Structure formats: C-alpha cells, structure tokens
Amino acid sequence: MNDLTRRGFIFSAATLAAYGLLVGVQRACRSALASDKSSKANSGPVQIETFSDDGTRIGLQTENKIVKSDSEWRKLLSSDEFDVTRKADTERPYTGAYFNNHDPGLYRCICCGNALFSSDTKFDSGTGWPSFWAPIAKENVSTSLDLSFGMRRDEVTCTLCDAHLGHVFDDGPKPTGLRYCMNSLALRFMPRAKS
Ligand SMILES: [Zn+2]
C-alpha cells in the first residue's frame, strides 16, 4: 500500500466511522426528530431564480412556499427520500446516485423541482456525497444553524419547500471556499442535452 493509498484508506475509514457514529446517534434521536417540520414552515411567498432544464436562467420569480403534510410527502417520495428531505436523515456515503456523477447538467430538488445546483460548481470532495462550491442561485437555498447531535453545522434547505438537502462547510475549494455537502436522495439530476 503506497502512502497516498494508505492516506485515502485512512480518510475513508475515518469518514465511515464518523458516519456510523452519526447514524447511531440519529437512530437514537429519531423520536426526538418526530416533530413535523412543516408545522414551523412559513408559507409566505419567497423569491427564487427559475431555470430551464438546460440550465438557462429564466429569472427571479415570487412563489408561495410549498407546504405539505408528512402523509402528502410520503405519497410523492420513496421512504429514503422522505427520511432525508423531510426528517433530516443522511444517506450513507458512497451509496448515492450522484457523488460520482461528472455529467453536465442541473440538479433540482427531489421534492419540488426548484433548481439547486449546477454541474459547473460540482467538485470531487472525496467524502462520498455530491459536493458543490456554490448553489445555482443564492435565493434558491437557505441555511440555518443546526446544533443537533452535539455538532455545530449549517443546515442547507430548499427555499421553496424547506426540504433538508445537507450541510455547508467552510473547507471547500476556491472561489468561495464553501463545500455544500448534499444528499443524492434530495436531488434530481437533469442532464444537459448535447448540442
Ligand atoms: Zn424543494
């Protein structure tokens, strides 16, 4: 095993160990998370940038927030998608559809279709989760302080429907220095048609 491989292995092992701890804590705290997120949702209008599926910016639009009950969301989502987006669960690293996706295209919210990220800002973070250094438009995602599980993190949600997407960290690449660490299960990829 050369040094680089060993380092990669140690990093992966550390990531998996940290994830295992996180999942254990999450499972234990699942009942504490049972509070319905939609109950605190503000249904007031929000401004979002809209994009066509080929990534062309259409413009800023004012839309009413999408608010649904858990049972309504369950009808629209798989159980894994529901657990991540509506209950702030985390998918296992290296298992999602998009951590290793390098195709050009647009990533929309799995819940409401809001445009969230472009392949133009995607980078390989080595974490096993799809990672971006910026959202497609600052209006389209919201961040809030997340103190759950004894950690201090910035949660990232969809501005239009409050779906939990993942977290943002300040150890990303230039030009922003940010790492939006997302769950594939919260995203739907729209491949850019080849011209
Ligand atoms: Zn959404």
Side-chain angles (χ1 to χ4, degrees):
M1 200 186 273
N2 68 33
D3 197 43
L4 257 183
T5 312
R6 189 178 300 117
R7 241 184 284 161
F9 175 76
I10 291 169
F11 180 77
S12 302
T15 303
L16 283 171
Y19 173 77
L21 182 67
L22 185 62
V23 168
V25 176
Q26 282 184 334
R27 294 270 146 78
C29 297
R30 185 64 58 78
S31 56
L33 277 178
S35 61
D36 188 347
K37 265 203 149 186
S38 63
S39 63
K40 69 175 181 185
N42 171 5
S43 62
V46 290
Q47 281 208 317
I48 55 163
E49 284 278 3
T50 52
F51 292 81
S52 63
D53 284 347
D54 68 4
T56 306
R57 189 179 293 255
I58 296 171
L60 208 55
Q61 287 188 5
T62 303
E63 296 195 23
N64 283 329
K65 258 197 162 170
I66 295 169
V67 180
K68 295 182 192 295
S69 67
D70 280 358
S71 57
E72 288 173 314
W73 283 122
R74 280 188 189 281
K75 286 179 194 149
L76 300 172
L77 303 167
S78 73
S79 69
D80 286 344
E81 290 163 358
F82 177 85
D83 286 346
V84 166
T85 59
R86 312 319 308 184
K87 297 297 168 190
D89 207 348
T90 302
E91 72 191 11
R92 291 180 57 206
Y94 302 100
T95 63
Y98 303 136
F99 77 91
N100 202 24
N101 179 27
H102 301 290
D103 293 340
L106 180 73
Y107 292 83
R108 292 192 183 277
C109 176
I110 191 76
C111 294
C112 74
N114 184 21
L116 300 172
F117 295 96
S118 162
S119 57
D120 296 344
T121 63
K122 194 171 188 290
F123 69 99
D124 192 355
S125 62
T127 60
W129 289 287
S131 304
F132 305 83
W133 49 259
I136 196 165
K138 65 180 187 315
E139 294 84 359
N140 292 16
V141 300
S142 302
T143 56
S144 57
L145 186 60
D146 173 8
L147 296 174
S148 63
F149 311 120
M151 290 179 280
R152 185 184 181 90
R153 295 179 295 172
D154 288 308
E155 181 187 17
V156 181
T157 54
C158 171
T159 300
L160 190 53
C161 78
D162 284 337
H164 171 82
L165 305 172
H167 292 88
V168 59
F169 303 91
D170 60 6
D171 57 4
K174 289 177 180 174
T176 62
L178 297 174
R179 171 170 61 92
Y180 285 80
C181 183
M182 300 291 103
N183 290 279
S184 296
L185 284 165
L187 305 173
R188 174 173 288 130
F189 180 61
M190 318 297 295
R192 199 176 295 156
K194 292 183 179 72
S195 53

